[in-house]
Amino acid sequence: MKKILNFVLVVLLFEFTTSFVFGAGLPYWGPIMSCNRPDTPRCSSLCDLLATLQNAIYLGITIAMFVIAPLLFLVGGFLMVISRGDEGKVKQGRSIITNTIIGIVIILTAFVIVNTIFVIIGPKLGNGEFKWSEIRCNPRELPGTIEW
C-alpha cells in the first residue's frame, strides 16, 4: 500500500510541476537581454532590468529542470539498477533521487517568490505590462528612462 501511495504522490508531483512550469513559459532558452533585439530600443529603465533578470532566472530554471535534474534522476536510477543488492549503492541512488526532488521543489518555490516580487514592484515603474509570467516594457513611457 505504501508503494502505491508513493507512486501516486510522485505522479501528482510530476503533473503539478509540468503544468506549473509550462504555464510559466518554461522551458526558456533565451535571449537573456530583454531589449537586445533589433525591434526594441536599448536597455534604458528599471523595467528593462527586471525583464532581463526574469529572463536570466527563467534560463537558470530551464537548465536546472530540463538538463541537470533529468541527468541526476538517471544517475540515481542507474546506481539503484546496478547495485546488485548492495544496500550502500541503493541508498546512494535513492538519496540522489530524493535530493533532486527536494531541489526541484526549492527551485519552484524560489521562482514563485521572486516572480511575485517582480510583479509587485513592476507596476510601480510605469506603463509596462506586468503579467505574472512575463514583463514587457514600454521604454518611452517609463519614469527613470535614460535617453541615449
Side-chain angles (χ1 to χ4, degrees):
M1 182 67 177
K2 187 176 179 181
K3 288 183 179 183
I4 293 172
L5 181 62
N6 286 339
F7 178 74
V8 169
L9 287 175
V10 167
V11 168
L12 288 176
L13 176 69
F14 179 75
E15 287 297 319
F16 170 74
T17 302
T18 54
S19 64
F20 178 76
V21 164
F22 289 120
L26 295 172
Y28 181 80
W29 298 107
I32 293 177
M33 294 296 291
S34 64
C35 49
N36 197 18
R37 297 185 307 261
D39 61 332
T40 60
R42 293 185 196 162
C43 297
S44 60
S45 69
L46 293 175
C47 180
D48 291 326
L49 177 65
L50 285 179
T52 299
L53 287 174
Q54 186 180 46
N55 291 344
I57 290 169
Y58 280 2
L59 181 63
I61 291 172
T62 297
I63 291 170
M65 293 197 54
F66 293 99
V67 177
I68 296 171
L71 288 175
L72 288 172
F73 281 127
L74 285 173
V75 168
F78 185 71
L79 282 174
M80 292 173 72
V81 167
I82 66 166
S83 68
R84 294 187 181 182
D86 182 12
E87 282 297 318
K89 288 196 179 208
V90 170
K91 190 173 183 180
Q92 184 182 10
R94 188 175 297 136
S95 173
I96 290 172
I97 291 173
T98 303
N99 289 335
T100 303
I101 292 171
I102 291 170
I104 289 172
V105 169
I106 290 171
I107 288 170
L108 291 178
T109 304
F111 168 73
V112 168
I113 292 169
V114 170
N115 215 24
T116 302
I117 290 171
F118 281 178
V119 170
I120 291 171
I121 292 173
K124 295 178 176 45
L125 297 176
N127 294 331
E129 293 179 37
F130 295 92
K131 292 188 237 172
W132 189 79
S133 64
E134 183 178 10
I135 297 174
R136 291 182 182 253
C137 301
N138 300 325
R140 305 238 187 280
E141 302 171 2
L142 295 173
T145 300
I146 300 168
E147 292 296 325
W148 294 94

